[in-house]
Amino acid sequence: MKILFTLMTCLMVWGTSFAQKLHTITGKIVDEKTVAVPFAVAQLLNASDTSKVKMVAADIDGIFKIDQVKDGTYMLSISVIGFKTKKTERFVLNSDWQIPTIKLESATRQLNEVSVTGKKPFIEHQIDKTVLNVENSIVSTGSTALELLEKAPGVQVDKQNERILLNNKSGVMVMIDGKNNFLSGSDLAVYLSNLTSSQIATIEIISNPSSKYDAAGTAGIINIKLKKNKAFGTNGSISSTYRNAIRANLPRNIYGSDLNFNINNRNKKWNFYSNANASKNNNFSNLFLERTTNSDGLQSAFNQNFQKIYTGSRLAAKLGADYYVSEKTTIGVMVDGSTSTRKLDNFSQTFINEIRAGVISNNSLQLSSDANTPNKNYSANFNIKHDFKKEGASLNFDADYSGFNYTGLENFNTDFYNESGIVYNQTFIKNDSKTDINIFASKIDFTWPLSKTAKLETGLKTSFVKTNNDFLSSAFLNNEWQNIAGQSNHFIYKENVNAAYANLSKDLGKWQIQAGLRAEYTDATGVLVTNNTEADQKYLSLFPTVFVNQKISENSNLRYTYGRRIDRPNYQQLNPFNFYMDPYTIQQGNPYLKPQFTNNFEVSYSYKSGLSFSLGYSKVKDLILDSKTAQNDSTRIVTVGQGNIGSGEYYSAGLYFPLAVAKWWNFQNNFNLFYNKFNDNNLEGAPFELSKLSYNFNITSSITLPADWTIETNFWLNSPRVRGLETTTIYQYALNTGVQKSFLNKSLKLKLNIDDIFATNYWKGTLNYQNVNLRAQNYYINRRVSFNISYSFGNQNVKSARSRNTATEDMKNRAGG
């Protein structure tokens, strides 16, 4: 009876709660001239502790509606970029309420301040950056970080050469939570391919950073911010994704999956947080190459087909704690690490058509190779942040250590066939490699308001890097493995960069100005232990930045920016190895690569934090490109390597505007136009000049349906373009779509997404210079269907946990090859 009575009591209480009438709050938001303010964010807060209850965005007419609200005492907070945040007085809600019109006051803001609140569209333009709001996006479901960047305006992912371009420029610094990830080239591509959308909150694209940022990254910065739990109490989330490729005649194991778990606990003195992720990502590509040679009366035509299967898995974890010594001082520690494996199985066929004295012969070779490349990454951070009594004044200190360990074993087995299809030669080659990277860095940042309208920021930083690369290439000859002279090597690289910066910003009413200067002294040494040769580089560089914002009216602004930046060669590019790819292709490093320097100029116009238009110009000196690509016609071997060319010039124009078709249907539209020009008076012994006009656009549609259904569609297109010696000859584009359904008051979400519906995202291009005549096509798998389920638990309606940047910022993007 006691159990029955308890059960009946619980049912009655539950039933009473369920039957409680829910109410609706509606209102309108206007500016000082009673003009409607579209897309403002209205937050309903508990009056007792100001915790967030619900949050909605106003429509194009400034009207908002908050429904399904229980009886209680609340207050409203209204915010939008360009206006001061406004909070209403407390009110008691016990019925539907039409709130009086809310009038916002325009705000003059510092150039480097950003107000980001509320539910955002997938692509959002802010005064100093473009933001991809991944966390709540449907079209991002099941995607990797690399695939997400393909959907970002102004970003192109060159999978052919495993690099990322921003506004058609290479030299992008990729950061994770405000710190570089130490990787570049293929290693960066692998990392971003294993980083899934379930781990990412936002992606920030900063084309012209201030002097506070490290000067590395001539094209700008892409900062990937991972999800962070919220504070006070315990909360967390768990999500799982499965995706599979959709294409005929594929290997069976081309799928991906990941499991992600976050948990956070915070009280008045402590904040503990952790994240764990396990992922698997498999892929497939099909590469076709054609090239010709002509030497000593022998004409040869090479036709090659490479089929590559990638299988990889990754385990990652992060653990951190913040201790709030007082209201003004916080001490934090954070450690994270990951281990991953990547296996590559490659099968290629090369058909060689030869003509000598009118006689035609056909030979061929078949190569099968496999590669295992396990690696480990780990880092630790110690941070102290102190806020002074003076409002806006702060001191921040970071000390960091990061370590990376890469090992690789690659086997190449090649059979050579004569015209009759009989094997006349066989070769067996293996490459053993080991790379250790250790990075120590520390920085201190100081911010001090000089007055209500002026602020000074200054800081110091030092970093020490040591890379140890041991590469052994062997051939199986006379029944034993023998070292291949000239290809094995041991390379050690050391680098110390010391930096200081200062930023001064001033509000002059209709004008806001920020000027900064960063000085960096680099001391680098590369030692090739194999033959005891050494290359030293010592140089001091200055990096000024200027930002001017002109307030034309209450709704429109003009912004003028200038910045100088640097791209230092990454650690593997400086390694003078000869890396065997196949019997006729060798990749070679260059210890004499110089850094490239860029001057960036941009003028942009914005209206109501919505429509924006920009014009940009950049000039790069000593541009780092694959300019060392050369063909030896007598041996018919192509050597691929990077070098400096005289200069590169980049002109750009960009247009962004949102479009509300209806209250439930919105578009985000981005259009970009580029003109690139590359030249060198003496490149590999001859003048070189190449230029081309190109464009891209990116359109995202979001439809909100009743019963918590949402549909998103994204379409992007890149026109043919040039990059140094290389020309892309086709249009690359993709249509992606997804649908989401929410349950349990939006705590449980199910998402279904299809990427590259028409399988149109592949690459085709040419490289023609002097005696090199190369055509290539690369088909990689982008059409995939993904299913994601996520569940959030605990208190999700409180202010976010502390976020910080660590000290290792200028060299982390350069550790890979």
Side-chain angles (χ1 to χ4, degrees), residues 547-563:
F547 299 83
V548 178
N549 191 71
Q550 179 186 1
K551 193 173 183 64
I552 300 174
S553 68
E554 291 297 327
N555 295 317
S556 57
N557 292 270
L558 269 174
R559 188 168 185 257
Y560 315 86
T561 65
Y562 163 74

Side-chain angles (χ1 to χ4, degrees), residues 388-404:
F388 296 97
K389 290 183 180 180
K390 188 172 185 177
E391 184 177 355
S394 65
L395 184 69
N396 197 81
F397 171 78
D398 280 280
D400 288 85
Y401 166 74
S402 294
F404 294 79

Side-chain angles (χ1 to χ4, degrees), residues 400-620:
D400 288 85
Y401 166 74
S402 294
F404 294 79
N405 175 262
Y406 301 89
T407 58
L409 176 61
E410 299 175 282
N411 298 290
F412 302 86
N413 302 328
T414 309
D415 294 328
F416 296 81
Y417 294 84
N418 61 21
E419 196 168 21
S420 301
I422 298 174
V423 175
Y424 68 90
N425 187 28
Q426 291 180 308
T427 62
F428 303 94
I429 293 175
K430 69 176 181 179
N431 292 332
D432 287 285
S433 60
K434 183 179 180 181
T435 300
D436 291 306
I437 302 173
N438 290 281
I439 301 178
F440 299 87
S442 63
K443 70 183 180 81
I444 187 166
D445 299 292
F446 176 68
T447 302
W448 190 260
L450 302 175
S451 68
K452 291 183 178 180
T453 61
K455 180 171 63 174
L456 173 67
E457 295 177 294
T458 185
L460 299 170
K461 179 180 175 184
T462 184
S463 63
F464 299 86
V465 179
K466 180 180 179 181
T467 72
N468 192 329
N469 305 270
D470 200 355
F471 185 83
L472 176 63
S473 185
S474 307
F476 193 72
L477 301 170
N478 301 321
N479 295 319
E480 64 177 355
W481 288 103
Q482 298 181 19
N483 180 30
I484 301 178
Q487 289 190 201
S488 301
N489 70 74
H490 185 192
F491 180 67
I492 297 175
Y493 179 79
K494 297 179 181 180
E495 180 184 270
N496 171 220
V497 178
N498 296 300
Y501 77 89
N503 276 331
L504 180 63
S505 56
K506 176 69 175 176
D507 188 340
L508 300 172
K510 289 189 175 182
W511 295 84
Q512 298 89 43
I513 301 173
Q514 177 182 296
L517 180 65
R518 186 179 186 92
E520 294 187 353
Y521 179 75
T522 303
D523 184 354
T525 302
V527 179
L528 186 59
V529 179
T530 309
N531 58 12
N532 196 28
T533 59
E534 184 173 307
D536 292 328
Q537 292 188 29
K538 293 181 174 65
Y539 51 92
L540 173 67
S541 305
L542 299 178
F543 303 97
T545 57
V546 179
F547 299 83
V548 178
N549 191 71
Q550 179 186 1
K551 193 173 183 64
I552 300 174
S553 68
E554 291 297 327
N555 295 317
S556 57
N557 292 270
L558 269 174
R559 188 168 185 257
Y560 315 86
T561 65
Y562 163 74
R564 185 173 188 256
R565 300 188 66 77
I566 185 176
D567 255 329
R568 299 176 180 88
N570 74 58
Y571 311 130
Q572 293 295 67
Q573 289 172 334
L574 295 168
N575 187 352
F577 58 76
N578 284 325
F579 180 73
Y580 180 91
M581 301 175 70
D582 68 40
Y584 292 99
T585 310
I586 299 293
Q587 184 176 352
Q588 188 176 61
N590 182 2
Y592 301 104
L593 269 179
K594 295 183 293 185
Q596 65 180 33
F597 291 88
T598 302
N599 287 290
N600 294 314
F601 302 85
E602 185 177 70
V603 178
S604 60
Y605 170 81
S606 62
Y607 179 73
K608 282 190 174 181
S609 300
L611 181 145
S612 65
F613 177 74
S614 64
L615 295 172
Y617 170 74
S618 299
K619 184 165 185 178
V620 186

